[in-house]
Amino acid sequence: ASERTSETQAGTLKGKLGYMSPEQTAKGPVDRRADVFALGIVLYEMCTRRRLFRGDTDAETVLLVREADVPRPRVIAPMLPVELEHILLKALAKDPKDRYPTAERFAEELRHPAGGGSRRQPAWLEHHDLALAEVGTTDLLGSVAKTR
């Protein structure tokens, strides 16, 4: 219940503030890339086991999201593969133009990183000791992509 915003009123934000995109908190135009940002937050938190945007108040949380100052995941969780860090940081780019265009593309990159040169599932997804592999995050991302 740390996210206190629950009532919807005209001109107010709707949703969990810590999982919104910067453009949502600024009440700017929103498209599929806002979903990519939200999914990036969830994946980041699964990999680092830390909340990404959490202020003491709703206003602080909104400011943190709007600034989108994302600590490099490997600083918090050094065991993360470099390619996964790159994927996370792209999904969490402040500017929507710098993110994956869709959740489907984000999921595809997780399944088959561009730098890998192979269509095989990366070893880190199969064998790395991450919550990511345990809960089937790429399946989740694929499901979200199909609903959009």
Side-chain angles (χ1 to χ4, degrees):
S2 65
E3 302 285 345
R4 292 168 288 285
T5 302
S6 59
E7 291 184 31
T8 303
Q9 299 173 4
T12 63
L13 295 172
K14 180 181 176 185
K16 297 292 185 185
L17 298 175
Y19 295 92
M20 289 184 166
S21 65
E23 61 272 20
Q24 283 175 293
T25 64
K27 299 181 185 174
V30 174
D31 61 19
R32 294 175 179 184
R33 295 170 294 186
D35 293 335
V36 169
F37 192 87
L39 290 167
I41 294 170
V42 172
L43 183 55
Y44 181 100
E45 291 178 353
M46 290 171 61
C47 291
T48 63
R49 295 186 172 114
R50 284 199 188 163
R51 288 288 303 271
L52 182 54
F53 301 118
R54 182 182 212 161
D56 290 333
T57 65
D58 284 349
E60 284 182 19
T61 300
V62 167
L63 184 59
L64 290 170
V65 171
R66 197 169 291 162
E67 291 173 354
D69 185 17
V70 178
R72 297 191 73 80
R74 287 175 46 85
V75 170
I76 298 165
M79 77 292 196
L80 289 178
V82 173
E83 62 188 353
L84 180 55
E85 180 176 70
H86 291 299
I87 292 167
L88 282 169
L89 292 175
K90 181 170 180 165
L92 293 167
K94 182 176 183 175
D95 188 332
K97 293 181 292 198
D98 296 330
R99 293 182 209 140
Y100 296 101
T102 64
E104 182 176 23
R105 182 66 191 102
F106 183 20
E108 182 62 23
E109 189 68 15
L110 284 167
R111 285 187 200 102
H112 310 287
S118 169
R119 300 310 294 166
R120 289 189 33 214
Q121 183 168 309
W124 57 264
L125 189 58
E126 294 175 6
H127 304 293
H128 207 278
D129 183 27
L130 296 173
L132 166 67
E134 295 169 16
V135 298
T137 301
T138 58
D139 292 335
L140 171 65
L141 289 168
S143 296
V144 169
K146 290 175 187 170
T147 63
R148 297 284 178 198

